Amino acid sequence: MKRIRIDEKYCMGCRLCEVHCIVQHSKTKNILKTYMGEYPKPAPRILVEEKGYITFALQCRHCEDAPCLDACMTGAMYRDKETGAVLCNEDKCVGCWMCIMVCPFGVISRSSDKKIASKCDLCMGEDIPVCVKNCPNEALKYEDSKD
Amino acid sequence: MNSNILKPQRIDARDLNYRELNRLVKDAANKGVKNIRLTNVNGQRYIGTGVNSSPKININGVPGNDLGAFMDGCSIDVSGNGEDGIGNTMNSERIVINGNAGDILGYSMRGGEIFVRKNVGYRVGIHMKSYKNMYPVIIIGGCARDFLGEYMAGGLLIVLGLNMKNKNSIVGSYCGTGMHGGKIFIRGNVEPWQLGKEVRVYEPNKDDFSLIGKYLRIYCRLFSLDFDSIIKTSFTKLLPGSSRPYGKLYAY
Amino acid sequence: MAKRPTPTEFIVERDKDKCIACQVCVRMCSNDVHIYDADTNTVTSDNSRCVGCHFCETLCPTDAITIKKNESCFKPNANWSASVISDITKQAETGGVILTGMGCDKPYTIYWDHILLNASQVTNPSIDPLREPMELRRYIGRKPDKIELNYNKGKVELKTKLEKQLKLEVPIMFSAMSYGSISLNTCISLAKASHELGIFYNTGEGGLHKSLYKYGKNTIIQIASGRFGVHPEYLKTGAAIEIKIGQGAKPGIGGHLPGEKVSKEVSEARMIPEGTDAISPAPHHDIYSIEDLRQLIYALKEATDYEKPVGVKIAAVHNVVPIASGIARAGADYIAIDGMRGGTGAAPKVIRDNVGIPIEFAIAAVDARLREEGIRTNVSLIAAGGFRSSGDVIKAIALGADAVYIATSALIALGCSQCQKCYTGKCNWGIATQDPYLTKRLNPEIGVQRLKNLIKAWSLEIKDMLGGMGINSIDSLCGNRTHLRGIGLSDRELKILGIKSAGEPQ
Amino acid sequence: MKTLKTEYLIIGNSAAGVACIEGIRKVDKTGSIAVISDENIFNYSRPLISYFLAGKVKKRAMPFRDKKFYSRNNVKLVLGNTAEKLDTKKRIAYLSHGEKVVFNKLLIATGGSPIIPEIKGSRLDGVFAFTKFGDAVAIKDYIKKHYIKHAVVIGGGLIGLKAVEALIELGIKVSIVELADRILSTTFDTKASGIIQDALRKAGCNIFTKNTVAEILSKGEDKKVTSVTLKTRKQVPADLVITAIGVSPNIQLVKNTSISINRGILVDEAMQTNVKDIYAAGDVCEKNIPIWPNAFKQGRIAGENMASGNAEYTGSIAMNSVELCGIPTISIGKTSLEQDKYEILEMRKKEESIYKKIVLENNHIVGCIFVGDIERAGIYTGLIINRVDISNIKDKLLEEDFGVLALPEKYRKHLVGDVGLEV
């Protein structure tokens, strides 16, 4: 099962991952059109935390024992059989924010346009999530996890 | 075997090349001999260099240059005079010279002590530096020549000026040029023209005297000198004017 | 002080149609060139702060930024150029020495570009390196005058006891760069790449960080006048010891790492208190003569039980030939000669640009002289100072070098854009800085790969060129100047280089 | 079907029941499972009924597991049938339609029933409880049939307010009657309640606190509710009344069996009752905090243990997330304590209706409230659940950029340990 590994030592804090995440989850998937023409533009599903020189980008960890799966009352949050990713079915989500309440990483947020939860989907359909692909310092890696 | 290593081992250095002599010293040290006595030493270099264990080496005769260079662990006692480069980049322990010593003594010394009973040559204590608990100390019984403590970055340098002839000056010129750390104490007075422009002159305080005393007591005991009479005279303290003497040299 | 003309060197051109105000440039520029205005949601630039490192340009996700040279400014004047005026103005303001970083950028003749290589045609066949074995391995160290062999039941054994040698899989090493002038991640990249390539890197005079001890077998440790970080463990760890007398970028002067670059970790490696200046005096005060040098060489050999080669690095200066001869006779196992285009973390500009001679002359002249004196095998020669390509490397070897040191090209492989601001400690690429916010920008995993790629690529090219000349071992090329021809050079230059002119047959 | 034999029997098909299936299947891929539900819908999410009422969620979106879930997990689903009697010795459950189910292991997940207040008029038409899908359907029908202008919601707790929100959405003027001095008194403190009360009033609600409904009235012989009289004698118009004053565990089934009960069924850490192989989970349990995640987790743990797994329920804390009048709120743990032993950290931005509060006890977070801004609230939940000492980060807890980076290193490592984060 592939996961995004975050290596804080080499995160420069440039936030290009956020930019590319926004574009990937936009309507057009075109960077200029997303930034110049989409209102509201999608919120990034990756979040760069920063304190002095320590920075790292954090996105859903797709936990093995994911509290958001237990907490989701609509069944919108589900685990993808193939990839093992924890995904949110946007058609089922009603925005009760139970998942936000229980995620110990605080990586689920309210979508900027609809009343649904927004979280990392590992860029389903892409070989490599765009945050990983575009990290200029390989601080993010898409690797097989131990389990 | 054990009783053997406790017995002092004598090595006659007569007619030995320095490499041969040092090989013998290292071999003895490697065997664990605690006390090595070298006799008839006549200008052989690098004695005590690269000796990995911690014997005490007594030297009879005149050891050559770079005595105890990069020295770490062993200690050296020279019954007579030493040459140039004693304690070059020395790391620890002690070198005692019962007579005079030459130039660049204690160059870039990082730890340990060098005690010289009489006079030393030029460029002594250049670029001494201390680091954490490593604190290099040089005490010179007589006087020193020019460039004493040049580029000094740390540690302690004491010149006592004992048995000086009146004409002699206790330090030469350019004392403490480029100094940016450490302390120099000179027993008696130094003329302003003798000092490098990076040093400032101070009156030693109580703490300074206890610092001097800490090492001077050992020195006096080693050379059977009267500590009280030496310490009671006045000392001049030299400190760097700035820890960044060349900080303003450049246009950014 | 009243303002005087100091033209900005660069103009940051921002394509307004493409800038999405993502602020990556704002966050990443250590010189604070880019400014975000939240009210208008736009990013603007302060050109005067730009050093032209191209970091922002590289990261900009929409290619909205282009760094351009400021072409406006002064009336064209071959003598009073913009940089001359700007330097004078700066000095009039500060009264200080103008500092710079990296190697000399003045348009002196680069002799590598005036030397051509030979290739085989008809009378001697070229070798196809894809099919035939090619030997790039070199040994650095004193070679015996003659070799005696033991023949024992059909087995041949070397009877002569060889002096300690450094075994290089490729005749290229990473030249001295101290931890302090460059970041730990840069050191790690160099060390690890050397380990994996079977070559050596050089600590410079910065001591050895604890995390680098494990690469000791691929480390040349340096001893300079400041003796920073020189202690028994350090001497024990390196594969060879190098006494640094001089550096091509600043012959004759010392070094000076300002206190602000002496971080906790740097202070540990150098063994000086944190935040203090690290001053390397111009000379070693125990070396005022060749005899003194010999004394230090043997002190180091004695300290390490004659188990490691001891080399001496000097800058290429006018008298390099007799000096090198002296060093060879002083017992050095190798001499590294650094030409005037060699890099530096910080040097007075006037010295970098005006002192020394090019490595091409130095290596040719020294090799010739050592041969004349019959002591060439006593010592290995390493050429350094601005090697840009495998072509430069192979020419240096044909001129007489046993191997070359590269540093600037290694840094360029890691991202360096030659902005020459290493001395400010604000290197955006995380190379010449100790600022933890910046050093993390060089991920050693990437660094190692890039360095390995570079050396691998050069090796392939060298093999190709060797094959073309009909040579299957780099050893056979060393000092083999018959394979070189000069072009556009005067007779005198050709004579010093010891090569014929293009068009002259064998 | 007269007699059904099954390895596992699950009575109840809501959060705990469904989670139990998942728990069993985690360990035992084949053992037969039967689920009995007294409702006729194959499963649905109870908390969604307010969304259904408001018309935001269609009937087909009510299930939280799809229809194939049961066949995929090889589960026999019995709908519209109630387990009426239980023989714990013979391990037989008797159903209302006359069948019996012989089981090896049993989970009782019968949930809770709304408490209907003993008020005169509480049987009138137009008076509803609000816990089941059936309730929502009935209310919806009633609203469709009658012209509803005013509604009264008895109880200002979470269920009541969810109903209020749905009714506001439908354009009905709502009055809330709450016994305590403020709405949401069990989960919120005065300030948080105040923000929501202000917002509800702005949306046109009447809120009567420290009050109760004394009588529900109709006009003449008509059985239709028309108004209510409050304890304070005030008459409030009401074409519809929803009672939401709480739920009590459904324990009829286990009364008179050897299973220990109090208010609810007593269970151990494995969710097992005092009778071996009989488990209980969710709202039917004693001392359970009746929220979805708890029921789900308990169900899953019970399931794993029934299938000879080894899971442990380490207790739960009260947690609620509701969005009212467009203001998202989250409350976790102890929130409205005022004693000295608790230290309170607060942040308030009045103009944006943002309020955050953290309750500390001996340098541990024991509760928080987030109103208006709930981003990253789960981090605090984690700190509470894992009992993390926060003395070193106390001053950072309410900072704008509080996040994983600020967490104590040891906890950070524990948190990220096996999920590929090197921080």
Side-chain angles (χ1 to χ4, degrees), chain B residues 18-19 22 26 46 65-66 70 72 88-89 91 104 107-108 110 123 127 129 131 151 244 249-251, chain C residues 94 96-97 225-227 229-230 232 260 268 271-272 277 279 285-286 288 295 298-300 302 305-306:
Chain B
Y18 72 85
R19 267 181 91 165
N22 290 336
K26 284 180 188 176
Y46 317 124
N65 289 354
D66 270 1
F70 305 103
D72 187 53
N88 191 346
T89 322
N91 212 51
I104 45 161
Y107 174 30
S108 243
R110 178 170 288 108
R123 314 197 304 276
H127 223 308
K129 42 182 140 349
Y131 175 65
Y151 287 118
R244 306 278 317 269
L249 206 58
Y250 305 105
Chain C
T94 62
V97 173
S225 62
R227 303 284 157 88
V230 178
E260 52 263 30
E268 275 177 26
M271 303 180 82
I272 52 169
D277 277 10
I279 299 171
H285 282 282
D286 55 348
Y288 285 11
Q295 183 168 303
Y298 279 88
L300 289 166
E302 195 68 48
D305 274 337
Y306 298 84

Side-chain angles (χ1 to χ4, degrees), chain C residues 157-294:
Chain C
E157 282 166 350
L158 193 60
K159 196 172 158 192
T160 316
K161 196 172 173 289
L162 287 178
E163 297 282 336
K164 288 287 167 189
Q165 308 282 326
L166 291 181
K167 179 175 156 193
L168 309 183
E169 293 302 333
V170 184
I172 301 168
M173 298 190 278
F174 298 127
S175 193
M177 289 178 274
S178 69
Y179 173 41
S181 73
I182 55 170
S183 65
L184 185 59
N185 282 344
T186 314
C187 294
I188 293 170
S189 305
L190 293 163
K192 208 166 171 207
S194 303
H195 176 72
E196 291 178 21
L197 287 162
I199 59 169
F200 297 82
Y201 84 105
N202 189 309
T203 60
E205 52 180 311
L208 199 55
H209 187 267
K210 49 189 180 299
S211 67
L212 296 171
Y213 272 84
K214 57 174 178 269
Y215 303 110
K217 285 196 171 70
N218 297 86
T219 307
I220 297 178
I221 55 153
Q222 207 178 55
I223 294 192
S225 62
R227 303 284 157 88
F228 295 112
V230 178
H231 62 116
E233 207 52 39
Y234 178 70
L235 295 176
K236 222 175 279 170
T237 302
I241 304 172
E242 182 172 286
I243 300 170
K244 180 200 173 182
I245 301 292
Q247 185 178 343
K250 42 181 173 180
I253 68 163
H256 177 191
L257 186 72
E260 52 263 30
K261 270 193 166 179
V262 182
S263 65
K264 184 171 171 288
E265 300 274 298
V266 170
S267 103
E268 275 177 26
R270 295 204 172 211
M271 303 180 82
I272 52 169
E274 213 175 319
T276 56
D277 277 10
I279 299 171
S280 295
H284 288 245
H285 282 282
D286 55 348
I287 304 175
Y288 285 11
S289 65
I290 289 292
E291 290 74 18
D292 287 349
L293 175 65
R294 181 181 178 84

Side-chain angles (χ1 to χ4, degrees), chain D residues 241-262:
Chain D
V241 173
I242 292 178
T243 60
I245 58 168
V247 274
S248 63
N250 281 330
I251 49 170
Q252 297 86 332
L253 178 66
V254 292
K255 272 183 185 165
N256 309 319
T257 67
S258 50
I259 296 168
S260 297
I261 50 168
N262 189 13

